Amino acid sequence: TRLIADGTGRDVILDNDVNLATIAERTASGENDFVYLWLGSGLGAGIDIGGRVQRGSSGSAGEIGYLEVPRSAAALDPQAGDFTDLLGGPAIARLLGVTTLAEAVRVLPDNEAALTEIAARVALLAAVLEAVLDPALLVLGGPTGLAGGTRLAELVAARLGADSVQVRAGRANRRPVLQGARALLVSRLRQRLEARIEEDA
């Protein structure tokens, strides 16, 4: 960040796509305590606690795609070694019999069998997030989560059980990463303006 700032003479903020989508979800829904599960080509979790995205000491909080799957995942995909193998873009494309994730998300909403299978896989990952973070709300986002929509959220919730975390589809459903970047920029500009006003007062 410092090298870019020094080279351009501008303030620079670097963030990842999932964190920005989490900010967009907070803005769209008004929620400020939830885990945003990004289901796309890769996987990630945005952790929002008290209206603040948790990035961890090195900025890598939420990198869940590389977690090894539990033994029970073998019944769903015996070749899956980690959660990206189980739920990433190539896995979803194979499940729907297409080549790319873009093709998969186009046909997913009308494929109940595929939604049920994906829900079983998401529920395994959600159980891990529950055990570690104990969130009240799990939001399904990213291309797969948004394509699955309310029906996928219902199926995941049914898998987890009534006493488990609440699950719903993302509400920031049009370019959430760009929405989050804009919200972050507006917030930083407001902070800077307020600071300048205080200095001049």
Side-chain angles (χ1 to χ4, degrees):
T1 303
R2 185 179 299 170
L3 287 175
I4 298 173
D6 290 345
T8 61
R10 304 288 183 186
D11 289 338
V12 176
I13 302 169
L14 292 182
D15 214 333
N16 70 36
D17 52 358
V18 181
N19 286 341
L20 293 173
T22 303
I23 292 169
E25 183 63 29
R26 182 202 309 144
T27 303
S29 67
E31 302 279 358
N32 61 9
D33 281 291
F34 62 94
V35 172
Y36 185 92
L37 180 56
W38 179 275
L39 303 169
S41 296
L43 307 179
I47 306 159
D48 189 292
I49 300 175
R52 184 183 180 117
V53 175
Q54 306 301 306
R55 293 174 172 82
S57 62
S58 65
S60 62
E63 294 292 339
I64 57 173
Y66 306 109
L67 290 176
E68 291 186 8
V69 295
R71 281 189 232 176
S72 55
L76 299 169
D77 184 348
Q79 303 301 317
D82 60 30
F83 276 105
T84 299
D85 293 337
L86 192 69
L87 266 171
I92 300 302
R94 281 195 305 274
L95 188 62
L96 282 142
V98 295
T99 305
T100 67
L101 180 60
E103 295 173 279
V105 297
R106 282 196 293 270
V107 298
L108 177 59
D110 300 318
N111 191 324
E112 184 72 9
L115 287 168
T116 301
E117 172 75 11
I118 293 168
R121 298 177 183 215
V122 173
L124 286 178
L125 182 51
V128 174
L129 293 171
E130 264 197 290
V132 176
L133 298 171
D134 190 25
L137 173 64
L138 178 65
V139 177
L140 304 183
T144 303
L146 294 175
T150 299
R151 183 56 181 155
L152 179 58
E154 290 171 348
L155 291 167
V156 172
R159 282 266 177 179
L160 293 172
D163 296 329
S164 192
V165 61
Q166 178 188 352
V167 183
R168 69 163 172 77
R171 292 178 181 162
N173 55 13
R174 289 198 63 192
R175 298 186 176 181
V177 176
L178 291 178
Q179 288 183 43
R182 181 174 62 185
L184 181 59
L185 176 62
V186 168
S187 173
R188 293 297 176 91
L189 287 173
R190 183 181 296 116
Q191 291 171 9
R192 178 171 291 183
L193 180 60
E194 289 172 352
R196 183 168 295 178
I197 291 171
E198 289 178 4
E199 289 174 1
D200 294 340

